[in-house]
Amino acid sequence: SHIGDEYCATRIEDRIKEAAGSETPWQFAYALRGGWRQTRHVLNAARDFNECDLLLTSIAARQLASLDAGCTMQQLNSDAQRLGHDGSWTKTALLRLESQRVILVGDTIRCLHLRSAAAIVELSLDSKAPSEAKKLIQILQDILRAPDVPLRGVCWLLNEIRSYRATILTEDIKNQLLKRCLNAHTHLERRDACFLLERLLGWRDMSAA
């Protein structure tokens, strides 16, 4: 229903081109049919299995922040501790998510598609009770504080947390990001710094001005 030539629709040629980069036939089919539109169902199913949805959201957030590179087992174990779980929970949750064809496990761990990662982060935060959302917010803050996360990745992640930006972007995180922007050296770093500064300026609390 989202394929066509009308306004805000996706051309079938563009969707085919996007799907063509898939590594397996089922990934091709997933991208072709826009599988990320089933994200709410995926999250609900993962939540029913010992809070696997929390780990899935962590994977999605790190995929966005890493510019689609994915995350490592070490990073996920660290996130599991934030969530109140141990390494055995991480392994069990990953096996469950992989068996459901929700993630890809290789050199790094990723969601099936970058659009899936974006939808997972947005919907997961919106569907959580305040106490559950607090755990995810701490993980997102850890990611934003990490000095090795590219500035462009920060932008990608911030785009998906609009409804929680006031809570997630604490003063220390904003100050750290501003320092990184001001210390950008290469042309690409300065370009990405400008994009990030634009977002941070657009999210100022005008009531405090």
Side-chain angles (χ1 to χ4, degrees):
S1 61
H2 296 84
I3 297 294
D5 295 321
E6 61 271 16
Y7 179 69
C8 287
T10 301
R11 296 193 314 148
I12 185 62
E13 295 87 354
D14 294 336
R15 182 64 66 79
I16 292 173
K17 183 178 180 181
E18 185 175 24
S22 304
E23 297 179 0
T24 65
W26 69 267
Q27 286 176 264
F28 174 85
Y30 176 88
L32 188 63
R33 64 181 172 82
W36 48 86
R37 300 193 183 281
Q38 299 178 353
T39 297
R40 195 178 299 277
H41 171 73
V42 168
L43 282 170
N44 288 337
R47 183 181 299 114
D48 292 338
F49 190 81
N50 199 17
E51 295 187 318
C52 281
D53 62 309
L54 297 177
L55 189 69
L56 180 59
T57 307
S58 167
I59 293 170
R62 290 191 176 279
Q63 182 172 347
L64 289 167
S66 65
L67 303 177
D68 207 21
C71 58
T72 65
M73 192 69 180
Q74 182 179 3
Q75 289 173 322
L76 294 184
N77 281 330
S78 175
D79 292 342
Q81 291 182 353
R82 275 286 198 187
L83 297 169
H85 295 287
D86 56 19
S88 62
W89 174 83
T90 306
K91 292 179 180 178
T92 303
L94 286 176
L95 288 173
R96 176 69 177 185
L97 294 172
E98 187 177 17
S99 69
Q100 296 296 312
R101 287 189 168 181
V102 178
I103 59 171
L104 301 171
V105 178
D107 294 336
T108 59
I109 303 162
R110 305 166 56 248
C111 297
L112 300 184
H113 195 283
L114 192 60
R115 288 200 197 183
S116 296
I120 286 168
V121 171
E122 181 179 11
L123 288 175
S124 183
L125 281 171
D126 289 341
S127 65
K128 292 297 181 189
S131 59
E132 293 179 313
K134 185 177 180 180
K135 298 177 182 179
L136 291 177
I137 286 171
Q138 290 176 338
I139 290 176
L140 294 171
Q141 290 174 330
D142 287 344
I143 295 173
L144 292 174
R145 289 189 181 99
D148 57 338
V149 171
L151 293 177
R152 189 179 179 191
V154 172
C155 289
W156 284 14
L157 183 55
L158 290 179
N159 282 342
E160 308 307 327
I161 58 175
R162 298 179 186 88
S163 58
Y164 278 83
R165 61 178 180 262
T167 303
I168 294 172
L169 283 174
T170 59
E171 284 301 316
D172 70 296
I173 293 177
K174 285 188 286 187
N175 289 335
Q176 184 176 342
L177 292 175
L178 285 172
K179 287 180 181 179
R180 288 189 60 190
C181 288
L182 295 175
N183 289 329
H185 296 297
T186 68
H187 291 301
L188 288 178
E189 286 176 344
R190 289 171 180 167
R191 178 203 64 185
D192 295 338
C194 288
F195 282 127
L196 179 53
L197 286 171
E198 180 185 25
R199 282 162 175 75
L200 293 175
L201 289 171
W203 290 346
R204 286 180 299 171
D205 182 3
M206 298 307 293
S207 64

